[in-house]
Every structure is written in C-alpha cells, then in structure tokens.
Amino acid sequence: MFSPSPHRRDCIAKQQERQRHLDALPVTYTESCTGEDNKVLDLSLTELVQRHEAGSLSTSAILQAYGKKVVSAQKATNCLAGVMLREALSSKPPVSSVDSDQHEHRRLLSGVPVSIKDCIDIEGYDTTVGYSCRVNKPATSSAAIVRLLRDAGALMHVKTTTPPGLVAIETSSDLFGRTSNPYNSRFVSGASTGGGGALLASRGSVIEIGTDMGGSIRMPAHFCGVYAMRSSVGRFPSLGTLPPMPGLDFVATTCSPMARRLDDLEEFWKRVMEMRPWDYDHTCVPIPWRPVNLEGKKLRWGIVWEDGIIPPSPACRRALEWASDALTKQGHEVVDFTPPPIADGLSVGLQLCFSDAGAGVFAPLRKDEKLDPVLTGVRSLLRMPLFIKQCLAVWTRGLTGDEVWASMLEKFHTKTSEEERALVIAREEYRARWHEAWEAEGLDFVLLVPHPLPAIPTGTAEKVTLISCGYMMIFTILDYVAGVLPVSFVDKESDSLPKDFMKSEEYKQMGGIGKGAYSVYDAEAMHGLPVGVQVVGRRFEEERILQAMKVVEDALKECGRKFTPREF
C-alpha cells in the first residue's frame, strides 16, 4: 500500500486542519455581507475602536463582517495559513503581558481585526514559514507584536500564507498551495506577504502584520492595491518573528504593517508607538510617536526613474509620472535624482544575504518539497563551481555586454568571514555615498516605482528574477523608511508596449535581466491590475513618510486621479 512521504502527509494534514476550522465557522460566514456588515467594513480604524470600546459595536458583529470577507477571500485567492476566528470571538479582555510601572495599559486597538503573516509566532499555533517540517510544532510563546496587539485589544483572526523560506516573488508552497491576486487569479499577489496583500485587498482585515527584507510588504501592496511601509530596524517590534535567513544582521528583516487605507496605516502606527513597543521588545529603540505636519509645505522630491537594470514598464512609469506631475501642480519642487548605482548596492546586499550559500533558506526543505523557481535558480548558481561562473561571466561580457549579470556570476558564491566583513565595509561606504548624494540635492523625499512590473502571471517569476526587487531591496540595504501607495490600474490602451518594441534600441540596450522581465509584460492581459509608487525617507522617518504618502495621495486627488479600489 502506498504511504505518503512525511512532507506530503504534513501538507495534507495542515490543509485539512485549515478546512476544518473554516467548516466550523457559523454558517452565516458563508453568506454575502448584509447592509449592516458593510457598515462595519466601512468604519475606519479609529471609528471601529471608538464604537467597540463604547459597547455600540460587538466583537461578534465585527468578526461576522470580516469573517465573511475572510471566507470569500480564501475561496478566491487561497490566502490563509491559519484560521483563528472562533478563538478571537471567544477571547476575553487581555491581561497586560508587560510588567512596567511606566506602561499605561489601554485598549488602543480594541476590536480591530489584524491578520498575521505565518512567520510570526503566536503561542499555541504553528509558525510554518511555508515549510512542511514546521507543521505540528506550535510556538511556545508569542512574538512581541502579538503580545502588544493582545494588550491593545486587537482581534487576531487569521494567519496568512508565505512561500517556503519567504524569499520569492510568488506566494506558493506545497504546504498551502498558490495564493493568487484578488484582481485577477491568473496573476500573483506578491512576495512573502502576498497572502496578507490578497486578504487586505479583499477587505478581510484592517491591518496585516508582515515582514520585509527585499520588499515583502511593499511588493504585495503594489501588486494588490493597498498601503504598506517598511520601517527602519528597531522602530517596530520584531522579536519572535522568523526572518528568511536567521542570524543575518547584515541585511536585516523588519516587521511592518500593511493596511487597506492610508489613514488606518498611520493611526495604527501611532497607536502601536503609544503602547511603548520597547517594553515588549528589547531590540526596539525607545522613540515615541512624533507628530509631523507637512500640510502647506513646499517639499523637494527626487525622482529615480530607473534602477539601471530593469526600466519600469509603461504602466508603472505612468504611475510615477502621474505622482510627479501631481506634486508639481501642487507647487512642490520635483527634480530628477541620480543616486549611487543601485546595482552596486544590490550586489553587496545579495552577496551578504547568500554568503552562507543559502543554508538558512534551503536547510529546512525536505527532499520532495518544491521550491520557488527563483530560489531553485539561486541554489543552482550557488552550487556551480566558481571557475565555471567566471568563464560564463567572461562569455556574457563578450557576447552581450551585460555587466550586471556578469558581475553576479563572478560574485555569487559562499563567503569567508573575511569576505563577509569586507562586504559590510562596502555596505557602509555605499550608505555614505547615498547620504552625500541626498544631502547634495537637498531632498526631502525620494519617489520611485516599487517594482518595474505590475503583478506578474503565475509561473513566470523565474524570468523576472529577484533582481527585479532592486527598487525595494536597496532601501533595506540602506535601512531607509519606504512606503508604498496605490496610484492607478494597468490600462491596455495607454500602457501597451509599441508593436516594434523588441526591435527598438531601448530593448536592444537592455541586459538579459531586463529582457527576461519584459518578456512577461502584457498590458492587455494585465489590464485592471493595480500599480503604485514608493515614497522613501531616511532612517527613523516613519512619521514623515506617512505624511509624505498623504501629500502624494492628496495631490493625485486634486488632479482627479484618486485611486479607488475595486469591491470584491
């Protein structure tokens, strides 16, 4: 008799567990939202807290409205890793987990549904990180952000899907299957917080707590039409969060939130800071919330039009042009900004990430467990003998002139401790160059695309490659604050490539990485997918970035280009 492998057995068991929890929900959760449900879903975070604390809106009414959207989102996108709705419904008011005379325990997030990425520990629940080997190994304690949220009265109702090891462009795993884009199921929802992006776009949560190293909250925000902000290391509680590469401090992963609305994202940030996160997480810097008002101020914005590797596709460039034009019309100073080469910083960052040959990502995989095609390619490259890669680099330079790819071939190998330290020095030198360039231009903020493409078709990540994330990952390497907001939708008429584009000089001058990414761009097939822009500030400028995002959104609104998400 055939016996499934431990990997397949655990995948089946986990999916059955998820389905049992869904089936155990009240039958009303499978019904369409009523008028009363929609009124609850339309409440802002502030209104939700006020009404829940006042007793005019019950926990059951909140969870019924959001639970219906959760069930619907799961059917449409397969975005859930765990279902905790019944536990949230029966939960009692929390007893503060913080023992501090200075901590004033208040229910600042009372009644707010918050989804949690499945790399963040919740006591009593698995933290799978997309690996089957982590099934049936519940966390023995909760992450700092989870304890803070419980003390604040939030309703943590679901966990969202991740790819194995979190390093990917597409959220897909043997454990949970593929998570699709809520706007079009033939496209991806984004990187390792793609499940959260899909859930937020489907209105199944108010806030998603995710993580970001190479853009794992910013990419799903861009692909799914929601809001996100990557914080600087130490500003948001991250203790108890599993990073993609444990022990990697050289290019640190941050725990950060996403939201359906910009006002909710800002209000959530403010309330988390008022909960004194440094009392929960010793790695947090004790910086309280610092109100910022940019209204009426004329700001200087630097636009980075290209990263020098993959030019933004027409749809993404149009979103950036719209934002630039809108800011100019509002009287802001908008200038072209040429920073130190992004390829230089990206090369240093990727070498540091995989200096151990990817052991942190690959070791937990079982022998019959599928890996994202992007990481399969990375693993093959890392395992290739260095002399062969050096020969390929010479051939690449001579035949195609693709310096970026040739350089990757030469440098992408296991590092000695001395080589690692040299790379850290190179990273610090690169950070200094950015600082000098920023100061020389006198910039307030930088504006650029989050990714050169809209959401890509499923199964095409290998062509797009991790290098496409350079627009986002560079700010992880710099530890700058970076937010993403939706701007528009792909339009099949205005965003199509010229018919003879593949014969154009622009295309011929692209390296192999750029050509591979452009091979999946199809404005007609992508019609209706969201596209956004990325607003960047320097370290610990979270409050300023949230306000800067508001400046961009208000400017677009004044131009009649307000983003309106689709109702699902």
Side-chain angles (χ1 to χ4, degrees):
M1 180 179 292
F2 171 76
S3 177
S5 68
H7 166 63
R8 183 52 51 194
R9 181 196 63 218
D10 288 338
C11 289
I12 293 170
K14 196 63 180 174
Q15 291 173 27
Q16 289 175 341
E17 176 191 88
R18 178 179 61 178
Q19 192 58 48
R20 282 197 305 273
H21 288 167
L22 287 167
D23 292 342
L25 295 174
V27 68
T28 53
Y29 282 43
T30 62
E31 298 171 356
S32 299
C33 286
T34 64
E36 289 302 310
D37 293 329
N38 286 324
K39 288 179 182 178
V40 173
L41 294 169
D42 289 338
L43 293 173
S44 68
L45 185 150
T46 301
E47 293 168 331
L48 201 57
V49 173
Q50 288 174 344
R51 291 191 56 185
H52 189 250
E53 277 294 272
S56 61
L57 183 62
S58 67
T59 299
S60 61
I62 295 170
L63 290 177
Q64 175 173 287
Y66 279 92
K68 288 179 177 180
K69 287 296 185 180
V70 161
V71 172
S72 175
Q74 171 60 17
K75 289 179 179 177
T77 67
N78 188 39
C79 58
L80 300 183
V83 182
M84 305 178 293
L85 279 157
R86 290 177 68 88
E87 292 87 341
L89 185 62
S90 60
S91 62
K92 297 178 181 179
V95 176
S96 179
S97 64
V98 170
D99 182 16
S100 172
D101 294 336
Q102 297 180 2
H103 190 271
E104 180 185 353
H105 175 52
R106 293 183 293 162
R107 291 168 57 81
L108 295 173
L109 295 167
S110 180
V112 177
V114 178
S115 53
I116 306 292
K117 180 178 175 180
D118 195 26
C119 64
I120 299 172
D121 283 342
I122 300 179
E123 184 178 356
Y125 296 89
D126 291 341
T127 307
T128 70
V129 201
Y131 294 118
S132 70
C133 69
R134 296 186 63 88
V135 170
N136 293 323
K137 295 179 181 177
T140 56
S141 60
S142 293
I145 183 59
V146 171
R147 291 185 282 112
L148 183 152
L149 290 171
R150 280 200 175 126
D151 287 351
L155 304 174
M156 288 168 283
H157 61 320
V158 291
K159 283 193 126 184
T160 54
T161 53
T162 77
L166 310 179
V167 182
I169 295 177
E170 183 171 356
T171 298
S172 179
S173 68
D174 287 349
L175 192 57
F176 293 113
R178 187 185 306 277
T179 300
S180 60
N181 192 289
Y183 281 87
N184 189 324
S185 61
R186 293 183 293 114
F187 291 81
V188 307
S189 58
S192 64
T193 316
L199 184 70
L200 284 171
S202 303
R203 302 177 77 194
S205 185
V206 176
I207 298 291
E208 159 81 359
I209 304 297
T211 57
D212 192 305
M213 184 183 76
S216 292
I217 64 162
R218 288 168 285 162
M219 184 190 288
H222 170 59
F223 283 2
C224 299
V226 296
Y227 300 82
M229 183 177 72
R230 179 221 180 259
S231 67
S232 289
V233 175
R235 192 74 202 276
F236 197 85
S238 297
L239 190 68
T241 298
L242 274 68
M245 297 160 185
L248 179 70
D249 283 341
F250 311 126
V251 183
T253 300
T254 60
C255 193
S256 296
M258 306 165 66
R260 290 192 286 124
R261 290 176 283 221
L262 181 54
D263 286 346
D264 288 348
L265 184 64
E266 181 180 28
E267 191 62 31
F268 180 79
W269 259 100
K270 179 181 178 181
R271 290 171 187 246
V272 168
M273 293 301 107
E274 289 179 4
M275 288 292 293
R276 299 172 56 90
W278 48 90
D279 286 344
Y280 294 82
D281 182 349
H282 69 275
T283 68
C284 276
V285 181
I287 302 176
W289 181 258
R290 302 160 298 180
V292 171
N293 186 0
L294 299 179
E295 188 175 351
K297 294 185 178 181
K298 301 307 177 185
L299 305 165
R300 185 171 170 85
W301 301 76
I303 308 290
V304 178
W305 292 106
E306 297 187 11
D307 69 350
I309 306 172
I310 307 174
S313 61
C316 296
R317 186 177 179 91
R318 177 172 59 82
L320 187 57
E321 289 171 346
W322 277 18
S324 175
D325 292 345
L327 289 168
T328 300
K329 289 177 181 177
Q330 292 300 305
H332 296 283
E333 190 176 4
V334 180
V335 299
D336 294 349
F337 177 48
T338 304
I342 289 176
D344 290 357
L346 190 60
S347 174
V348 171
L350 286 174
Q351 288 181 78
L352 284 169
C353 285
F354 292 99
S355 62
D356 65 345
V361 176
F362 303 132
L365 286 168
R366 286 168 161 168
K367 64 178 183 179
D368 51 346
E369 190 165 10
K370 291 180 184 176
L371 190 63
D372 181 271
V374 170
L375 274 185
T376 300
V378 168
R379 182 165 59 180
S380 297
L381 184 59
L382 286 166
R383 290 177 174 178
M384 189 184 298
L386 180 57
F387 78 92
I388 293 179
K389 286 187 283 191
Q390 291 171 335
C391 292
L392 286 173
V394 172
W395 179 81
T396 299
R397 283 193 181 93
L399 187 66
T400 67
D402 190 342
E403 178 57 36
V404 174
W405 180 235
S407 178
M408 291 294 295
L409 285 168
E410 289 176 329
K411 297 176 180 178
F412 219 49
H413 58 84
T414 308
K415 306 298 181 187
T416 64
S417 58
E418 290 82 6
E419 288 172 328
E420 273 191 338
R421 291 173 186 176
L423 285 167
V424 173
I425 292 170
R427 183 199 64 181
E428 291 307 301
E429 291 172 346
Y430 184 75
R431 287 178 171 181
R433 289 163 61 195
W434 258 84
H435 176 79
E436 291 165 4
W438 191 298
E439 286 290 311
E441 284 288 349
L443 301 177
D444 289 298
F445 304 103
V446 163
L447 197 66
L448 72 168
V449 299
H451 192 272
L453 302 174
I456 63 173
T458 56
T460 62
E462 191 173 11
K463 296 178 181 178
V464 176
T465 76
L466 284 179
I467 308 299
S468 68
C469 301
Y471 288 93
M472 297 175 292
M473 187 173 182
I474 196 66
F475 300 113
T476 300
I477 295 161
L478 295 167
D479 196 27
Y480 284 2
V481 181
V484 168
L485 69 152
V487 171
S488 184
F489 297 96
V490 180
D491 182 86
K492 61 185 178 182
E493 301 296 336
S494 60
D495 297 329
S496 292
L497 291 168
K499 290 183 179 179
D500 58 349
F501 178 74
M502 300 302 179
K503 298 179 181 179
S504 68
E505 283 302 312
E506 180 183 357
Y507 180 77
K508 290 177 182 177
Q509 291 175 7
M510 281 188 200
I513 295 170
K515 289 176 179 176
Y518 264 69
S519 71
V520 310
Y521 181 75
D522 182 344
E524 184 167 355
M526 294 172 170
H527 181 78
L529 290 172
V531 286
V533 294
Q534 187 174 200
V535 181
V536 179
R538 291 189 281 190
R539 293 185 71 210
F540 299 118
E541 289 190 347
E542 287 81 7
E543 295 91 341
R544 280 175 54 80
I545 287 300
L546 288 165
Q547 286 297 307
M549 291 166 71
K550 190 172 294 186
V551 169
V552 174
E553 186 160 80
D554 288 347
L556 287 163
K557 183 179 179 180
E558 287 295 317
C559 292
R561 288 173 169 169
K562 182 179 183 295
F563 180 85
T564 303
R566 193 179 106 195
E567 291 293 325
F568 297 100

